[in-house]
Amino acid sequence: MNPYELTMSQALKKMKQGELSAVELTHSCLNRIDAIDKQLSAFVTIDREGALAQAEYADKQRTAGAAGSLCGIPLSVKDLLCTKGVRTTCGSKMLANYVPPYDATVVEKIKNAGAVILGKTTMDEFAMGSTSESCAFGVPINPWKKGYVAGGSSGGSAVSVASFECPGSLGSDTGGSIRQPASLCGIVGMKPTYGRVSRYGLTAFASSLDQVGPLCRTVEDCALVMDVISGYDQMDSTSVKQNVPLFTSSLTDGLEGFKVGVPKEYFTEGLDPEVEKIIHNSIDVLRKKGATLVDISLPHTEYCVAVYYLIAPSEASSNLARYDGALYGYRDMDAETLMDMYKQTRSTGFGAEVKRRILIGTYALSSGYYDAYYKKASQVRTLIVDDFKRAFESCDVLISPVTPTPAWKMGENTEDPLAVYMSDILTLSANLAGVPGMSVPGGFTAAGLPVGVQLQAAHFQEEKLLKTGFNLEQGLGLEKRQLDL
């Protein structure tokens, strides 16, 4: 086995036993990136020098007996998390040359735990998309089948992990942007409870929805990262003072006493038959592990797409107002007046999807329309939150598909944004309600495309998600398959 094929837990074990060094592991991952990333476009920026320096320091820390919990583990980072001294583009021409003077809190935390940052990954521009096709610096390709989307907006992060360029990554999830690409690329991805993980240093898309989380190859690795990045941060006004358990201790066998809810609204017309079959097989696995199944209803699910695509663009319209060419980032140098500079900078600096959402959001917030759109959407959002509260009174976790279909061909829905928006219908509600959710690999279609299983739990109940995901992973025992490389 090549070092780059190791999971995080396997690599940590070998490094502790002296069978592998952080430098060797980092070199292996960098060589893997050199060999295959031209085919996949998972990375926007590769920090080779910085990564090797961090790996050398990690080896010294281990020798000195001061190794952190992720000491020597190479990770990739989605390109909207600030990294001191390393370019952070958000997948946009607007920030093509932006180099942050500070680290996001989660980046600082993984560095303090000894992790090695390989580089920044491709993403939908300002995290607005479900396929990562709106990135200004290349489009990540699904490693399981060439010509198919990797998902978005954390598509590059998912591809980097699925293709063995690194064992783990940090992404962000605003409406499914960790879980959806994790599902389409056959890896584990978690969106923590809103407020569980600091958002400081995360370039905002929709401030009431964005959440940072891990993408890994196993549930155990996901728990390892969650142990590091979770916790209160005084630099983030949305961070919650909540006790953080040791998530790795929740990975125990058996689900006796667990109640698993099956929401009927997630199994409706439009669900691909192969996806449905894989989800039902996963439900059977959880039953064999001791879980009891409960029929659940989330009656306001049908409104989540409409609610999300009013709230998220409205918040994006506000957050992206700062990119006007005046302070930092791209500026149109041909403008002759201040007003022309604003107009031309935003017209040429933003891509089509970002401009579409800014227009929607600005309209929804405008005088005379605020009450009819944004305010009404916020009221329905409260009903969606109430749906989840009632559901978790009778069950511990919910199980469902992540997306209605497997990955689709690149460019297939480029001219039909509504079709792409509808692909998020099963993930949006977790962000609107602020509950944690994760995707765990459930199987493959006949065409060889991965399908993920979505698990959701009540606020700050990530332990239950990880325990259920671990048991599902162990029970399925999916065979190793060959990537399309």
Side-chain angles (χ1 to χ4, degrees), residues 150-163:
S153 61
S154 306
S157 288
V159 172
S160 70
V161 175
S163 60

Side-chain angles (χ1 to χ4, degrees), residues 28-303:
S28 181
C29 290
L30 288 169
N31 291 340
R32 175 70 170 174
I33 292 168
D34 290 341
I36 68 169
D37 202 61
K38 286 182 181 178
Q39 302 176 54
L40 300 176
S41 297
F43 284 86
V44 174
T45 302
I46 300 166
D47 184 19
R48 182 180 299 274
E49 243 179 69
L52 290 172
Q54 291 169 51
E56 289 177 8
Y57 180 72
D59 283 332
K60 290 177 182 177
Q61 289 292 95
R62 189 172 294 284
T63 301
S69 59
L70 295 178
C71 189
I73 296 296
L75 299 175
S76 64
V77 175
K78 188 175 180 179
D79 205 22
L80 50 46
L81 287 163
C82 287
T83 42
K84 185 177 182 179
V86 178
R87 190 172 66 136
T88 299
T89 73
C90 294
S92 178
K93 179 181 177 181
M94 190 66 81
L95 291 174
N97 298 309
Y98 175 62
V99 178
Y102 69 100
D103 281 325
T105 295
V106 288
V107 172
E108 184 179 353
K109 283 187 171 185
I110 62 172
K111 280 184 176 179
N112 290 341
V116 173
I117 298 176
L118 297 172
K120 310 298 286 294
T121 55
T122 319
M123 56 175 282
D124 278 305
E125 185 179 10
F126 284 102
M128 297 182 196
S130 304
T131 64
S132 297
E133 290 175 284
S134 71
C135 183
F137 308 107
V139 178
I141 297 170
N142 196 311
W144 293 101
K145 196 160 188 178
K146 296 284 181 59
Y148 281 70
V149 298
S153 61
S154 306
S157 288
V159 172
S160 70
V161 175
S163 60
F164 299 97
E165 293 178 308
C166 58
S169 184
L170 289 182
S172 69
D173 192 311
T174 306
S177 292
I178 287 175
R179 290 160 291 154
Q180 189 247 38
S183 173
L184 300 190
C185 291
I187 61 171
V188 178
M190 171 177 273
K191 181 202 89 71
T193 304
Y194 185 81
R196 169 70 86 185
V197 176
S198 174
R199 293 174 54 255
Y200 179 72
L202 167 71
T203 307
F205 161 17
S207 301
S208 73
L209 301 167
D210 301 332
Q211 188 63 183
V212 181
L215 296 98
C216 306
R217 286 191 219 122
T218 68
V219 175
E220 182 181 6
D221 286 358
C222 186
L224 280 168
V225 178
M226 282 296 295
D227 281 342
V228 172
I229 65 174
S230 300
Y232 174 71
D233 178 17
Q234 64 178 1
M235 299 295 287
D236 174 15
S237 62
T238 64
S239 182
V240 177
K241 284 187 177 180
Q242 183 84 14
N243 290 332
V244 180
L246 185 65
F247 292 113
T248 43
S249 67
S250 64
L251 308 180
T252 54
D253 188 46
L255 292 172
E256 289 77 13
F258 258 58
K259 293 182 178 180
V260 176
V262 183
K264 65 179 183 180
E265 289 82 6
Y266 286 35
F267 295 85
T268 57
E269 186 179 350
L271 185 61
D272 184 275
E274 288 188 283
V275 171
E276 186 170 12
K277 182 180 179 181
I278 287 170
I279 303 304
H280 282 297
N281 179 56
S282 299
I283 290 172
D284 288 340
V285 167
L286 296 184
R287 185 190 291 114
K288 290 174 183 175
K289 285 284 186 177
T292 302
L293 299 182
V294 181
D295 290 328
I296 291 296
S297 178
L298 300 170
H300 294 95
T301 298
E302 63 179 301
Y303 304 113

